[in-house]
Amino acid sequence: MDSGCEENRQPLIEANSLHDDEEDDQYGDKNSIWIESKKLWHIVGPSIFSRIATFSMNIVTQSFAGHLGNVELASVSIANTFIAGLAFGLMLGMASALETLCGQAYGAKRYSMMGVYMQRSWIILTGCGIVVLPLYIFATPIMKAVGQPDDVADQTGLVALWFIPLHFSFAFQFPVQRFLQSQLKTQILVWVTLAGFVFHFVASWVSVFVFDFGVVGLAIVLGVSWWLIFFGLFGYAALGGCPETWTGFSIQAFSGLWEFLNLSLASGVMLCLENWYYRILILMPGYLDNATIAVDALSICMSISGWEMMVPLAFFAATGVRVANELGAGNGNAARFATIVSVVHSTVIGIIFCALIMIFHNKFALIFTSSPDVLKAVDHMAYLLAFTILLNSIQPVLSGVAVGSGWQSRVAYLNLGCYYLVGLPLGIIMGWVVKLGVEGIWGGMIFGGTAVQTIILLLILVRCDWENEAKKAAMNIQKWSRPSVDQSS
């Protein structure tokens, strides 16, 4: 991998080492920090908005389901969180392979290959969607097997079947989002997701209160809303918004699928191991004494953490794009500088949220409950929530660097070791053996898993040879594209 491409590599780096605003050897002064910050927030701002908008569409669906009845609310929540949620996490992770490929191709000015990469991702994610389809088809027996009441399980199975269109929308929307982000076409994300959210809210209200379509209507509306967002984004790209990077459908999309699948699976596993780790954290307190209070308190804390997580996840996406762009352009030092700026920005925001949690440690749970027992339990967990938010302001940014650099396989193994071989056993020991209850489970999983993973990633970045990473990116671009096909200049 480190040899055999010397002739092709050098012209690529030289041709794409230009910077409009800064020189390669000058980083750290106020001007370069300001320029990099503007580039970063050009991606972060719209990404935060689009993530909150799409996340809120699920909340709207659950809220309207709550007006239909408790069984309807439970079925929609379970189908959304555990059926669609598992597929969502896997396909979102697999789509992040485009942040590596499209980001580096854009930096290297291999523009026409970006559309080919997106089409390859559609093919791979559609195949993944078919493989995961039994989760939706057999949702009812799966829910009964894990102990859900028959009425909830039956209703969940019905909702899951009508969620299948939503499920396949993930395979197309996630790649086109990353395709646009990688070339800094971010403002369109704001307008299209805003329009999608407004449509979703109005259509959900009409479905429930005008036509009385019930949970089936809500499931259909959610799927239609996601597909409309995809068609809006793709329509922008295909109808002139991305003239250099979208040159039409290509038979080349069907070549190199095996290698593309490997990178996509590594990306999916990397992010799924994180996503499923926190889902396990929510389930584990259910086996403790006083489980209801413990689960309620932890759910409140995780809801707060989930909303705040939209910010670091936006930094995850932005960092991946910035690092990939600079590495693709052959600018290792610029990629390193982009990493530092992103980590600092995200950490400062995390410190602010951390301080707010500590200041309002006995108040913020009032948003969700008035139960004295639950409020007391949340108050006791506030310091863990604050530390989790602080860690989560750093860790996703480091994962974004890994995606931008193409380290998905390496980080997937790291996540497996830190989360499931260290964090999870430590949480079990602290919760049941040491008898610290839910705080022990959470503390063990956070300190043993997330904290250790974050420290190791920081050490990897400190020791990283960024110029060598730029050379590897150049070789990967040569591997993934054919110069004779790309007509950009």
Side-chain angles (χ1 to χ4, degrees), residues 296-305 353-370 374-386 389 442:
D296 286 348
L298 186 59
S299 297
I300 289 172
C301 290
M302 289 297 102
S303 295
I304 296 291
S305 178
F353 278 105
C354 178
L356 289 173
I357 292 296
M358 295 307 296
I359 292 170
F360 299 103
H361 62 93
N362 59 346
K363 298 287 193 306
F364 66 84
L366 290 169
I367 300 172
F368 300 92
T369 184
S370 58
V374 176
L375 290 171
K376 184 178 179 180
V378 172
D379 186 22
H380 287 162
M381 296 181 195
Y383 71 96
L384 279 173
L385 175 60
I389 286 176
W442 189 1

Side-chain angles (χ1 to χ4, degrees), residues 10 28 64 106 114 122 147 152 263 274 297 306 415 449 463:
Q10 191 62 32
F64 278 107
Y106 186 75
M114 295 176 65
W122 286 340
V152 173
L263 181 61
E274 294 181 12
N415 288 351
R463 300 182 61 184

Side-chain angles (χ1 to χ4, degrees), residues 86-99 101 116-134 136 164-179 226-227 230 253-254 257-269 271-272:
L86 291 175
F88 178 97
L90 177 60
M91 297 172 83
L92 180 67
M94 293 181 69
S96 72
L98 281 186
E99 292 175 12
L101 298 174
V116 175
Y117 293 153
M118 179 169 66
Q119 293 170 63
R120 286 179 185 168
S121 188
W122 286 340
I123 295 169
I124 294 297
L125 265 65
T126 299
C128 172
I130 294 172
V131 171
V132 178
L133 204 55
Y136 294 80
I164 290 176
L166 168 70
H167 168 67
F168 281 104
S169 74
F170 300 156
F172 291 87
Q173 187 184 142
F174 294 155
V176 76
Q177 285 178 343
R178 276 136 194 83
F179 170 78
W226 273 76
W227 274 107
F230 162 71
F254 291 92
L257 288 178
W258 179 251
E259 293 82 1
F260 201 99
L261 174 62
N262 289 335
L263 181 61
S264 296
L265 285 176
S267 300
V269 170
L271 293 186
C272 278

Side-chain angles (χ1 to χ4, degrees), residues 300-316:
I300 289 172
C301 290
M302 289 297 102
S303 295
I304 296 291
S305 178
W307 280 101
E308 192 276 337
M309 193 68 178
M310 296 300 105
V311 176
L313 283 178
F315 276 95
F316 164 84

Side-chain angles (χ1 to χ4, degrees), residues 69-343:
N70 291 334
V71 173
E72 287 80 359
L73 174 59
S75 63
V76 169
S77 298
I78 292 171
N80 213 347
T81 302
F82 291 101
I83 304 299
L86 291 175
F88 178 97
L90 177 60
M91 297 172 83
L92 180 67
M94 293 181 69
S96 72
L98 281 186
E99 292 175 12
T100 305
L101 298 174
C102 283
Q104 293 184 1
Y106 186 75
K109 301 187 187 298
R110 291 296 182 90
Y111 298 131
S112 66
M113 286 306 301
M114 295 176 65
V116 175
Y117 293 153
M118 179 169 66
Q119 293 170 63
R120 286 179 185 168
S121 188
W122 286 340
I123 295 169
I124 294 297
L125 265 65
T126 299
C128 172
I130 294 172
V131 171
V132 178
L133 204 55
L135 274 178
Y136 294 80
I137 297 174
F138 301 106
T140 294
I142 291 173
M143 289 301 104
K144 289 181 179 179
V146 298
Q148 291 295 328
D150 287 348
D151 55 349
V152 173
D154 291 337
Q155 189 81 281
T156 300
L158 175 65
V159 173
L161 287 175
W162 286 100
F163 267 177
I164 290 176
L166 168 70
H167 168 67
F168 281 104
S169 74
F170 300 156
F172 291 87
Q173 187 184 142
F174 294 155
V176 76
Q177 285 178 343
R178 276 136 194 83
F179 170 78
L180 292 169
Q181 283 180 342
S182 295
Q183 54 192 300
L184 309 183
K185 304 280 188 180
T186 52
Q187 294 302 316
I188 188 65
L189 292 174
V190 173
W191 296 111
V192 171
T193 53
L194 175 61
F197 175 78
V198 172
F199 169 84
H200 179 69
F201 184 88
V202 173
S204 296
W205 185 87
V206 171
S207 172
V208 171
F209 295 110
V210 177
F211 294 110
D212 194 24
F213 286 156
V215 291
V216 170
L218 288 173
I220 293 173
V221 167
L222 186 59
V224 169
S225 301
W226 273 76
W227 274 107
L228 285 177
I229 291 175
F230 162 71
F231 285 120
L233 295 176
F234 178 64
Y236 168 83
L239 299 177
C242 304
E244 293 181 306
T245 55
W246 176 260
T247 56
F249 293 99
S250 172
I251 194 68
Q252 194 178 355
F254 291 92
S255 65
L257 288 178
W258 179 251
E259 293 82 1
F260 201 99
L261 174 62
N262 289 335
L263 181 61
S264 296
L265 285 176
S267 300
V269 170
M270 182 188 108
L271 293 186
C272 278
L273 288 174
E274 294 181 12
N275 181 271
W276 294 342
Y277 187 65
Y278 291 104
R279 293 182 189 275
I280 291 172
L281 172 58
I282 295 174
L283 293 175
M284 285 178 66
Y287 298 96
L288 294 170
D289 296 331
N290 254 347
T292 301
I293 293 175
V295 170
D296 286 348
L298 186 59
S299 297
I300 289 172
C301 290
M302 289 297 102
S303 295
I304 296 291
S305 178
W307 280 101
E308 192 276 337
M309 193 68 178
M310 296 300 105
V311 176
L313 283 178
F315 276 95
F316 164 84
T319 306
V321 170
R322 288 294 304 125
V323 169
N325 285 169
E326 297 297 350
L327 290 180
N331 301 316
N333 286 333
R336 174 181 175 274
F337 183 66
T339 297
I340 294 172
V341 171
S342 187
V343 169

